[in-house]
Amino acid sequence: MAATGSGIGTTTLRCLGAPDAVAVQRLHEHLDQHDSYMRWFGPQPKQLTTFSDQLCECNDRRCALGAFIGEELVGVGSYVALERVSPPTVEFALVVAQGDRLHGIGTSILKRLEDEAYLHGARRMVAEILGANAPMLQVIRDRGWAHSLRRDGSTLHLEVKLHGAE
Ligand SMILES: CC(C)(COP(=O)(O)OP(=O)(O)OC[C@H]1O[C@@H](n2cnc3c(N)ncnc32)[C@H](O)[C@@H]1OP(=O)(O)O)[C@@H](O)C(=O)NCCC(=O)NCCS
């Protein structure tokens, strides 16, 4: 389990599993309409239970990392491998609980997610980000990936090569 300091206490990161699905569902249920739109480009999935169960399945194709403050899940980063794409590519997304943002949690989840993806064979990461999603775009810029964003209408497509832990 990796620990990282944040302005709101120590945040620990670990891979999520089936027992975490209820906490994952609760985190997503608390997203407001705006955040749901930023995450899914529309309303929340109707079957949030199914979504959370799937997200917590960690295998060769998918992985989810949780950020915890104490026992509380405050952020989730996840990826899914795209099929029949070369080089092996995963698509990722992040969510941090509203009350715990702006403390670097999203950034630390993303860094660890890259390492997990690389360890599981991925060599490229992609994401679709709404142009209006200033916080997520800031996370991407802070990561040094501004040059890897390509605009397509109201959406920005991110595509970065993975190099493994530096
Ligand atoms: C995007 C998200 C995961 C970021 O999580 P976070 O823990 O707040 O991220 P961090 O604290 O690591 O970094 C946030 C950065 O955005 C900046 N930021 C925050 N709100 C901002 C705003 N309204 N406009 C511009 N920048 C903003 C912060 O200043 C910080 O940058 P800095 O470190 O250079 O100061 C979080 O906002 C979230 O869950 N949003 C809703 C879901 C979502 O949009 N997911 C992305 C789908 S791919």
Side-chain angles (χ1 to χ4, degrees):
M1 193 186 296
T4 157
S6 87
I8 44 176
T10 300
T11 309
T12 52
L13 293 176
R14 67 164 170 82
C15 286
L16 297 177
D20 300 303
V22 172
V24 168
Q25 180 171 346
R26 204 176 307 125
L27 179 75
H28 286 90
E29 275 169 357
H30 284 109
L31 294 179
D32 64 18
Q33 224 177 344
H34 173 81
D35 285 344
S36 296
Y37 193 70
M38 292 299 130
R39 170 62 181 85
W40 289 292
F41 296 22
Q44 294 191 347
K46 286 207 172 68
Q47 301 298 334
L48 213 45
T49 310
T50 310
F51 167 83
S52 306
D53 287 346
Q54 272 182 355
L55 190 138
C56 289
E57 276 171 29
C58 272
N59 54 41
D60 283 349
R61 293 202 57 245
R62 49 169 71 239
C63 174
L65 289 175
F68 293 81
I69 296 176
E71 297 291 308
E72 193 189 354
L73 180 71
V74 295
V76 171
S78 56
Y79 68 70
V80 180
L82 302 182
E83 283 181 30
R84 289 183 285 278
V85 177
S86 181
T89 301
V90 296
E91 181 165 19
F92 75 93
L94 301 178
V95 168
V96 173
Q98 269 178 350
D100 296 295
R101 292 184 190 163
L102 307 180
H103 295 283
I105 294 174
T107 301
S108 55
I109 296 174
L110 178 58
K111 283 188 184 151
R112 177 72 192 279
L113 203 59
E114 288 170 58
D115 294 342
E116 288 293 329
Y118 188 86
L119 281 172
H120 287 90
R123 293 297 176 263
R124 188 164 57 186
M125 272 178 110
V126 298
E128 301 295 330
I129 302 159
L130 280 173
N133 195 345
M136 187 62 192
L137 290 172
Q138 188 61 41
V139 170
I140 297 302
R141 285 192 202 100
D142 287 350
R143 190 70 196 88
W145 290 345
H147 61 283
S148 303
L149 288 164
R150 186 171 41 78
R151 185 173 275 281
D152 183 8
S154 59
T155 306
L156 289 151
H157 179 75
L158 174 78
E159 188 172 313
V160 285
K161 278 187 187 166
L162 293 179
H163 301 286
E166 287 150 17

